[in-house]
Amino acid sequence: TPTPETWEGFQDLKKLRTGEVTMGKERKPRLRDKYQHKISVPALNLIEKLLELDPKKRLTADRALNSRYFMSEPRVPNRPEDLGQLEIEGGHFHEFQTKKKRK
């Protein structure tokens, strides 16, 4: 929930000023508490910065791509052929074929 401390000027947004939208009780972010044992610290930092409520503080796509998350292990190989092959039953895979199988 945005507050004047977390998002300077949010109370000046038109729909808040006119009363068309109201804020519920303040809730603290729980992302880190909920996922800290499942997601790496660099990944959590990136997600939190991408979900920042204040647009002035929110990461741009360009800045997100320069995040430590993308520089940490495991790193993507430089050459696509180093990714290896994924063995699929039937020898090949295409989304149109899987949609037909589901129907």
Side-chain angles (χ1 to χ4, degrees):
T1 308
T3 65
E5 293 78 34
T6 60
W7 182 351
E8 183 181 335
F10 95 96
Q11 66 275 12
D12 298 327
L13 295 171
K14 183 179 179 182
K15 292 191 180 217
L16 282 171
R17 273 196 335 263
T18 61
E20 192 173 332
V21 172
T22 58
M23 290 287 117
K25 67 177 188 165
E26 183 179 346
R27 293 190 295 173
K28 300 288 181 195
R30 299 180 316 184
L31 181 81
R32 188 167 293 270
D33 293 335
K34 188 170 182 177
Y35 293 104
Q36 66 185 347
H37 300 293
K38 298 177 183 179
I39 301 176
S40 70
V41 171
L44 276 171
N45 291 341
L46 175 61
I47 293 167
E48 286 177 336
K49 290 174 184 172
L50 288 169
L51 295 175
E52 174 67 49
L53 294 174
D54 186 345
K56 292 177 185 172
K57 296 177 188 174
R58 192 177 310 132
L59 278 186
T60 62
D62 190 46
R63 286 183 53 212
L65 289 173
N66 291 314
S67 163
R68 265 191 357 190
Y69 170 74
F70 294 110
M71 307 305 164
S72 61
E73 295 293 331
R75 298 205 48 177
V76 175
N78 290 328
R79 299 173 347 148
E81 52 272 11
D82 292 340
L83 286 171
Q85 296 290 321
L86 182 61
E87 296 299 323
I88 307 266
E89 188 177 320
H92 61 282
F93 169 81
H94 194 277
E95 66 181 83
F96 296 122
Q97 293 167 325
T98 60
K99 288 178 183 176
K100 288 178 187 175
K101 288 180 184 177
R102 281 189 244 149
K103 288 182 180 182

